[in-house]
Structures are given as structure tokens and as C-alpha cells.
């Protein structure tokens, strides 16, 4: 069974540009979560999608947005990139919203804004 | 609001010894789940152990065990017989609907 896959692995963008990050969950998982992990820091909750709907978002500005497609894959868009957006972006999926089984994580996309 | 606090940014332990990582949390919910995740240098988040809040018995997975004190909102991780491969960042997490993580503890196992 394939795990959670994220693409691209690395992404370099210029300040002010837009970045699009993609995530494919484990087959059968309907919930997808996005986290930002700045260098040396913990995971900050960004967005949660389930069954195509945004269920919750963390304390991030509106230029962080995303969507979930009918096949449950998801993309995260970051507009008007700022230097401090440089971070590892992790995607996770779960069989159903959270709870006992926890999340399965992808290996992340390293976004560098120059 | 859900918050998770890990007060030990870094810890080290000698190989084969035991180490305990601390975690406290805050939530107004009565039904939730707690997790410890490990993140080695490869960046992959790996589930170490999980605990259901309504179960009083502490979870155990091989060399990993937890001390869950619900009233104190404390959830510490004990690693016995530490191995070099245990070197990683360890994150405590609280899950009600979406999972919130602590800032992490960097554990180094020394030979």
C-alpha cells in the first residue's frame, strides 16, 4: 500500500510568487491535514479537509489556502510568498477525522523563499 | 482551544539507559487521544505510541511506555533500553478533531 505522497520534494520560489504543494493520501483515507514546520520548530496546524470540505484552519493568514479533490488528494496554495514562509510543509491523512488511529504523514515539501 | 507543551527542548541519554520525555496539555474536551510521534533526520513522522483518554491503563509498545495522568493533564513518554536509532525529535500530540503538536524534544542517544 502506498503511503502519503507529497510533491514536489523541494520548491524554491521568489518572494511575492505563488507556491502550490500537492498531497495524495493513503487509499481510503478521506481526511487530509496540512502542517507547517519551520526550521527547528514544532508542527503548526494549517488546514484540515474532509470529504472535499475545509473543516478547520489554523492561525494563518488567508493567503494560505487549499482544496481537496473528489479523489481526496489535496493541494496547498501559498500566495504572495514571504521569506518567513520558508519551511517544511507536511501533509497527513487519516481514515476518518482524527481520533484513535492517528495520522500517517508524508515526507514533506521543503519550501524555500528567496 | 487545545495546547500541548513540551518543556524540554533537548535531552540526551546513554545507550541502554532509560529516559523520560515530558508533555502537558490543555483541552476542555473529555474525549480525546494522545500520541507521541518521532521525527528522525529523514523528516518522516513516525507514530510511536497512542493513548485513549478514557482508558486509565497506560499504553505500552515494546520499549516505549507512557505515564498518563488525566487529572494533571500530563502524558510523559518513557524509553527503556535506549538505542542509537532512537535519536530523533519527539513530538507529543493531542487529537480531538484535528491534531495539535508540542514544540518537540530533541533526544540524542550517546554510545
Amino acid at each position: 500500500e502506498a503511503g502519503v505522497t507529497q510533491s514536489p520534494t523541494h520548491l524554491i520560489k521568489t518572494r511575492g510568487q505563488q507556491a502550490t504543494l500537492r498531497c495524495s493520501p493513503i487509499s481510503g483515507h478521506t481526511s487530509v491535514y496540512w502542517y507547517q514546520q519551520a526550521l527547528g520548530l514544532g508542527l503548526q496546524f494549517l488546514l484540515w479537509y474532509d470529504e472535499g470540505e475545509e473543516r478547520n484552519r489554523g492561525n494563518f493568514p488567508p493567503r494560505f489556502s487549499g482544496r481537496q479533490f473528489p479523489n481526496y488528494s489535496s493541494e496547498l496554495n501559498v500566495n504572495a510568498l514571504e521569506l518567513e514562509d520558508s519551511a517544511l510543509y507536511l501533509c497527513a491523512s487519516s481514515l476518518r477525522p482524527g481520533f484513535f488511529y492517528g495520522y500517517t504523514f508524508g515526507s514533506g515539501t521543503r519550501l524555500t523563499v528567496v | 482551544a487545545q495546547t500541548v507543551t513540551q518543556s524540554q527542548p533537548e535531552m540526551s541519554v546513554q545507550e541502554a539507559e532509560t529516559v523520560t520525555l515530558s508533555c502537558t496539555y490543555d483541552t476542555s474536551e473529555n474525549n480525546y487521544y494522545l500520541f507521541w510521534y518521532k521525527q528522525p533526520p529523514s523528516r518522516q513522522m513516525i507514530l510511536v505510541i497512542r493513548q485513549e483518554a478514557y482508558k486509565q491503563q497506560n499504553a505500552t509498545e515494546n520499549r516505549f511506555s507512557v505515564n498518563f495522568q488525566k487529572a494533571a493533564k500530563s502524558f510523559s513518554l518513557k524509553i527503556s533500553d535506549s538505542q542509537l536509532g532512537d535519536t530523533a525529535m519527539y513530538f507529543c500530540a493531542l487529537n480531538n478533531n484535528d491534531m495539535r503538536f508540542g514544540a518537540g524534544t530533541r533526544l540524542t542517544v550517546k554510545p
Side-chain angles (χ1 to χ4, degrees):
Chain A
E1 178 185 84
V4 177
T5 57
Q6 291 187 246
S7 63
T9 305
H10 295 89
L11 188 59
I12 300 175
K13 291 287 187 178
T14 302
R15 190 170 52 184
Q17 286 187 316
Q18 179 196 43
T20 298
L21 288 61
R22 295 180 175 84
C23 173
S24 292
I26 288 176
S27 178
H29 285 195
T30 63
S31 278
V32 172
Y33 309 82
W34 288 95
Y35 290 86
Q36 181 195 67
Q37 186 178 23
L39 189 62
L41 299 180
L43 281 71
Q44 301 299 314
F45 170 70
L46 264 167
L47 288 160
W48 167 27
Y49 292 97
D50 182 62
E51 297 284 0
E53 300 286 332
E54 182 181 301
R55 300 296 184 185
N56 200 7
R57 67 179 291 129
N59 189 25
F60 281 84
R63 56 191 186 82
F64 287 84
S65 65
R67 54 180 171 166
Q68 186 178 33
F69 300 98
N71 65 352
Y72 303 117
S73 67
S74 176
E75 68 179 28
L76 173 69
N77 296 293
V78 188
N79 294 319
L81 284 165
E82 300 178 2
L83 296 178
E84 50 266 35
D85 296 333
S86 295
L88 178 67
Y89 289 82
L90 290 168
C91 172
S93 73
S94 68
L95 185 61
R96 58 182 60 83
F99 295 101
F100 180 67
Y101 295 99
Y103 299 171
T104 303
F105 282 84
S107 297
T109 293
R110 172 75 66 189
L111 173 64
T112 302
V113 182
V114 297
Chain B
Q2 301 180 147
T3 60
V4 180
T5 303
Q6 293 179 250
S7 59
Q8 305 153 312
E10 293 190 27
M11 294 190 71
S12 63
V13 62
Q14 291 295 132
E15 194 176 8
E17 294 191 344
T18 296
V19 64
T20 298
L21 280 57
S22 301
C23 172
T24 58
Y25 62 92
D26 192 22
T27 179
S28 57
E29 302 294 331
N30 197 45
N31 184 28
Y32 52 89
Y33 298 86
L34 295 160
F35 302 84
W36 279 95
Y37 277 87
K38 166 185 176 181
Q39 187 181 41
S42 67
R43 309 184 329 198
Q44 184 72 50
M45 293 284 285
I46 301 167
L47 177 63
V48 175
I49 197 166
R50 54 190 162 208
Q51 174 80 41
E52 300 163 75
Y54 60 86
K55 282 191 175 180
Q56 294 198 5
Q57 185 175 5
N58 289 323
T60 298
E61 287 286 343
N62 300 314
R63 299 183 294 108
F64 299 89
S65 61
V66 299
N67 183 3
F68 174 47
Q69 302 289 331
K70 189 172 184 178
K73 295 184 178 177
S74 170
F75 184 61
S76 61
L77 173 70
K78 186 172 80 171
I79 306 175
S80 303
D81 186 26
S82 296
Q83 300 176 359
L84 297 177
D86 295 333
T87 292
M89 282 289 290
Y90 286 81
F91 293 98
C92 177
L94 166 66
N95 195 356
N96 182 21
N97 265 323
D98 51 68
M99 197 176 296
R100 305 301 170 106
F101 289 81
T105 296
R106 184 176 302 280
L107 176 67
T108 302
V109 180
K110 298 180 179 180

PDB file of all heavy atoms in Angstrom, chain B residues 64-82:
ATOM      1  N   PHE B  64       8.744   1.336  24.625  1.00  0.00           N
ATOM      2  CA  PHE B  64       8.120   2.639  24.835  1.00  0.00           C
ATOM      3  C   PHE B  64       6.869   2.487  25.706  1.00  0.00           C
ATOM      4  O   PHE B  64       6.036   1.606  25.457  1.00  0.00           O
ATOM      5  CB  PHE B  64       7.725   3.258  23.490  1.00  0.00           C
ATOM      6  CG  PHE B  64       8.896   3.493  22.568  1.00  0.00           C
ATOM      7  CD1 PHE B  64       9.324   2.507  21.696  1.00  0.00           C
ATOM      8  CD2 PHE B  64       9.570   4.705  22.583  1.00  0.00           C
ATOM      9  CE1 PHE B  64      10.400   2.715  20.850  1.00  0.00           C
ATOM     10  CE2 PHE B  64      10.652   4.919  21.740  1.00  0.00           C
ATOM     11  CZ  PHE B  64      11.066   3.925  20.873  1.00  0.00           C
ATOM     12  N   SER B  65       6.753   3.336  26.691  1.00  0.00           N
ATOM     13  CA  SER B  65       5.568   3.326  27.539  1.00  0.00           C
ATOM     14  C   SER B  65       5.240   4.766  27.926  1.00  0.00           C
ATOM     15  O   SER B  65       6.082   5.658  27.816  1.00  0.00           O
ATOM     16  CB  SER B  65       5.789   2.473  28.792  1.00  0.00           C
ATOM     17  OG  SER B  65       6.843   2.996  29.562  1.00  0.00           O
ATOM     18  N   VAL B  66       3.997   4.972  28.338  1.00  0.00           N
ATOM     19  CA  VAL B  66       3.589   6.315  28.740  1.00  0.00           C
ATOM     20  C   VAL B  66       3.119   6.292  30.189  1.00  0.00           C
ATOM     21  O   VAL B  66       2.725   5.263  30.723  1.00  0.00           O
ATOM     22  CB  VAL B  66       2.466   6.867  27.830  1.00  0.00           C
ATOM     23  CG1 VAL B  66       2.947   6.963  26.394  1.00  0.00           C
ATOM     24  CG2 VAL B  66       1.200   6.033  27.941  1.00  0.00           C
ATOM     25  N   ASN B  67       3.186   7.485  30.793  1.00  0.00           N
ATOM     26  CA  ASN B  67       2.592   7.709  32.102  1.00  0.00           C
ATOM     27  C   ASN B  67       1.517   8.778  31.896  1.00  0.00           C
ATOM     28  O   ASN B  67       1.830   9.964  31.738  1.00  0.00           O
ATOM     29  CB  ASN B  67       3.639   8.180  33.103  1.00  0.00           C
ATOM     30  CG  ASN B  67       3.051   8.361  34.495  1.00  0.00           C
ATOM     31  OD1 ASN B  67       1.864   8.080  34.733  1.00  0.00           O
ATOM     32  ND2 ASN B  67       3.855   8.834  35.427  1.00  0.00           N
ATOM     33  N   PHE B  68       0.270   8.345  31.835  1.00  0.00           N
ATOM     34  CA  PHE B  68      -0.855   9.220  31.554  1.00  0.00           C
ATOM     35  C   PHE B  68      -1.559   9.593  32.850  1.00  0.00           C
ATOM     36  O   PHE B  68      -2.073   8.722  33.556  1.00  0.00           O
ATOM     37  CB  PHE B  68      -1.823   8.512  30.600  1.00  0.00           C
ATOM     38  CG  PHE B  68      -3.092   9.261  30.336  1.00  0.00           C
ATOM     39  CD1 PHE B  68      -3.071  10.613  30.017  1.00  0.00           C
ATOM     40  CD2 PHE B  68      -4.316   8.608  30.381  1.00  0.00           C
ATOM     41  CE1 PHE B  68      -4.238  11.300  29.764  1.00  0.00           C
ATOM     42  CE2 PHE B  68      -5.503   9.279  30.118  1.00  0.00           C
ATOM     43  CZ  PHE B  68      -5.459  10.633  29.804  1.00  0.00           C
ATOM     44  N   GLN B  69      -1.535  10.866  33.166  1.00  0.00           N
ATOM     45  CA  GLN B  69      -2.197  11.383  34.357  1.00  0.00           C
ATOM     46  C   GLN B  69      -3.271  12.363  33.893  1.00  0.00           C
ATOM     47  O   GLN B  69      -2.984  13.543  33.649  1.00  0.00           O
ATOM     48  CB  GLN B  69      -1.179  12.089  35.261  1.00  0.00           C
ATOM     49  CG  GLN B  69      -0.017  11.220  35.706  1.00  0.00           C
ATOM     50  CD  GLN B  69      -0.443  10.166  36.710  1.00  0.00           C
ATOM     51  OE1 GLN B  69      -1.392  10.359  37.473  1.00  0.00           O
ATOM     52  NE2 GLN B  69       0.236   9.033  36.682  1.00  0.00           N
ATOM     53  N   LYS B  70      -4.509  11.864  33.748  1.00  0.00           N
ATOM     54  CA  LYS B  70      -5.556  12.681  33.140  1.00  0.00           C
ATOM     55  C   LYS B  70      -5.884  13.926  33.963  1.00  0.00           C
ATOM     56  O   LYS B  70      -6.065  15.014  33.414  1.00  0.00           O
ATOM     57  CB  LYS B  70      -6.828  11.852  32.929  1.00  0.00           C
ATOM     58  CG  LYS B  70      -7.885  12.569  32.108  1.00  0.00           C
ATOM     59  CD  LYS B  70      -9.039  11.659  31.752  1.00  0.00           C
ATOM     60  CE  LYS B  70     -10.043  12.368  30.839  1.00  0.00           C
ATOM     61  NZ  LYS B  70     -11.158  11.476  30.454  1.00  0.00           N
ATOM     62  N   ALA B  71      -5.963  13.768  35.259  1.00  0.00           N
ATOM     63  CA  ALA B  71      -6.327  14.917  36.101  1.00  0.00           C
ATOM     64  C   ALA B  71      -5.269  16.010  36.014  1.00  0.00           C
ATOM     65  O   ALA B  71      -5.588  17.201  35.999  1.00  0.00           O
ATOM     66  CB  ALA B  71      -6.522  14.474  37.543  1.00  0.00           C
ATOM     67  N   ALA B  72      -4.036  15.607  35.923  1.00  0.00           N
ATOM     68  CA  ALA B  72      -2.932  16.559  35.829  1.00  0.00           C
ATOM     69  C   ALA B  72      -2.680  16.989  34.400  1.00  0.00           C
ATOM     70  O   ALA B  72      -1.839  17.866  34.148  1.00  0.00           O
ATOM     71  CB  ALA B  72      -1.670  15.961  36.429  1.00  0.00           C
ATOM     72  N   LYS B  73      -3.365  16.371  33.444  1.00  0.00           N
ATOM     73  CA  LYS B  73      -3.162  16.634  32.017  1.00  0.00           C
ATOM     74  C   LYS B  73      -1.687  16.496  31.654  1.00  0.00           C
ATOM     75  O   LYS B  73      -1.076  17.387  31.064  1.00  0.00           O
ATOM     76  CB  LYS B  73      -3.732  17.999  31.633  1.00  0.00           C
ATOM     77  CG  LYS B  73      -5.249  18.050  31.795  1.00  0.00           C
ATOM     78  CD  LYS B  73      -5.839  19.364  31.332  1.00  0.00           C
ATOM     79  CE  LYS B  73      -7.358  19.303  31.488  1.00  0.00           C
ATOM     80  NZ  LYS B  73      -8.009  20.590  31.114  1.00  0.00           N
ATOM     81  N   SER B  74      -1.163  15.332  32.016  1.00  0.00           N
ATOM     82  CA  SER B  74       0.234  15.033  31.779  1.00  0.00           C
ATOM     83  C   SER B  74       0.346  13.719  31.007  1.00  0.00           C
ATOM     84  O   SER B  74      -0.406  12.767  31.259  1.00  0.00           O
ATOM     85  CB  SER B  74       0.971  14.935  33.115  1.00  0.00           C
ATOM     86  OG  SER B  74       2.272  14.432  32.944  1.00  0.00           O
ATOM     87  N   PHE B  75       1.298  13.669  30.088  1.00  0.00           N
ATOM     88  CA  PHE B  75       1.427  12.497  29.205  1.00  0.00           C
ATOM     89  C   PHE B  75       2.909  12.332  28.861  1.00  0.00           C
ATOM     90  O   PHE B  75       3.372  12.781  27.824  1.00  0.00           O
ATOM     91  CB  PHE B  75       0.585  12.735  27.942  1.00  0.00           C
ATOM     92  CG  PHE B  75       0.553  11.578  26.979  1.00  0.00           C
ATOM     93  CD1 PHE B  75       0.048  10.349  27.346  1.00  0.00           C
ATOM     94  CD2 PHE B  75       1.016  11.731  25.673  1.00  0.00           C
ATOM     95  CE1 PHE B  75       0.004   9.289  26.463  1.00  0.00           C
ATOM     96  CE2 PHE B  75       0.975  10.672  24.767  1.00  0.00           C
ATOM     97  CZ  PHE B  75       0.476   9.452  25.163  1.00  0.00           C
ATOM     98  N   SER B  76       3.659  11.670  29.721  1.00  0.00           N
ATOM     99  CA  SER B  76       5.099  11.537  29.509  1.00  0.00           C
ATOM    100  C   SER B  76       5.412  10.216  28.802  1.00  0.00           C
ATOM    101  O   SER B  76       4.679   9.235  28.907  1.00  0.00           O
ATOM    102  CB  SER B  76       5.850  11.626  30.840  1.00  0.00           C
ATOM    103  OG  SER B  76       5.445  10.584  31.705  1.00  0.00           O
ATOM    104  N   LEU B  77       6.522  10.225  28.096  1.00  0.00           N
ATOM    105  CA  LEU B  77       6.988   9.051  27.340  1.00  0.00           C
ATOM    106  C   LEU B  77       8.253   8.521  27.972  1.00  0.00           C
ATOM    107  O   LEU B  77       9.212   9.282  28.157  1.00  0.00           O
ATOM    108  CB  LEU B  77       7.260   9.436  25.879  1.00  0.00           C
ATOM    109  CG  LEU B  77       7.901   8.350  25.008  1.00  0.00           C
ATOM    110  CD1 LEU B  77       6.915   7.214  24.743  1.00  0.00           C
ATOM    111  CD2 LEU B  77       8.403   8.947  23.691  1.00  0.00           C
ATOM    112  N   LYS B  78       8.280   7.230  28.280  1.00  0.00           N
ATOM    113  CA  LYS B  78       9.479   6.589  28.802  1.00  0.00           C
ATOM    114  C   LYS B  78      10.036   5.644  27.744  1.00  0.00           C
ATOM    115  O   LYS B  78       9.309   4.801  27.199  1.00  0.00           O
ATOM    116  CB  LYS B  78       9.182   5.815  30.085  1.00  0.00           C
ATOM    117  CG  LYS B  78      10.428   5.244  30.735  1.00  0.00           C
ATOM    118  CD  LYS B  78      10.155   4.639  32.110  1.00  0.00           C
ATOM    119  CE  LYS B  78       9.574   3.259  32.026  1.00  0.00           C
ATOM    120  NZ  LYS B  78       9.513   2.595  33.366  1.00  0.00           N
ATOM    121  N   ILE B  79      11.333   5.825  27.481  1.00  0.00           N
ATOM    122  CA  ILE B  79      12.026   4.946  26.551  1.00  0.00           C
ATOM    123  C   ILE B  79      13.027   4.131  27.355  1.00  0.00           C
ATOM    124  O   ILE B  79      13.934   4.688  27.986  1.00  0.00           O
ATOM    125  CB  ILE B  79      12.757   5.749  25.448  1.00  0.00           C
ATOM    126  CG1 ILE B  79      11.781   6.691  24.741  1.00  0.00           C
ATOM    127  CG2 ILE B  79      13.408   4.793  24.447  1.00  0.00           C
ATOM    128  CD1 ILE B  79      12.442   7.621  23.722  1.00  0.00           C
ATOM    129  N   SER B  80      12.845   2.835  27.359  1.00  0.00           N
ATOM    130  CA  SER B  80      13.745   1.939  28.090  1.00  0.00           C
ATOM    131  C   SER B  80      14.782   1.361  27.140  1.00  0.00           C
ATOM    132  O   SER B  80      14.550   1.257  25.927  1.00  0.00           O
ATOM    133  CB  SER B  80      12.946   0.799  28.727  1.00  0.00           C
ATOM    134  OG  SER B  80      11.934   1.304  29.573  1.00  0.00           O
ATOM    135  N   ASP B  81      15.944   0.999  27.701  1.00  0.00           N
ATOM    136  CA  ASP B  81      16.993   0.377  26.880  1.00  0.00           C
ATOM    137  C   ASP B  81      17.238   1.196  25.612  1.00  0.00           C
ATOM    138  O   ASP B  81      17.140   0.693  24.483  1.00  0.00           O
ATOM    139  CB  ASP B  81      16.599  -1.067  26.540  1.00  0.00           C
ATOM    140  CG  ASP B  81      17.689  -1.828  25.818  1.00  0.00           C
ATOM    141  OD1 ASP B  81      18.877  -1.483  25.995  1.00  0.00           O
ATOM    142  OD2 ASP B  81      17.354  -2.752  25.058  1.00  0.00           O
ATOM    143  N   SER B  82      17.530   2.467  25.785  1.00  0.00           N
ATOM    144  CA  SER B  82      17.681   3.385  24.651  1.00  0.00           C
ATOM    145  C   SER B  82      18.688   2.854  23.631  1.00  0.00           C
ATOM    146  O   SER B  82      19.740   2.306  23.985  1.00  0.00           O
ATOM    147  CB  SER B  82      18.137   4.748  25.151  1.00  0.00           C
ATOM    148  OG  SER B  82      17.150   5.329  25.982  1.00  0.00           O
TER     149      SER B  82
END
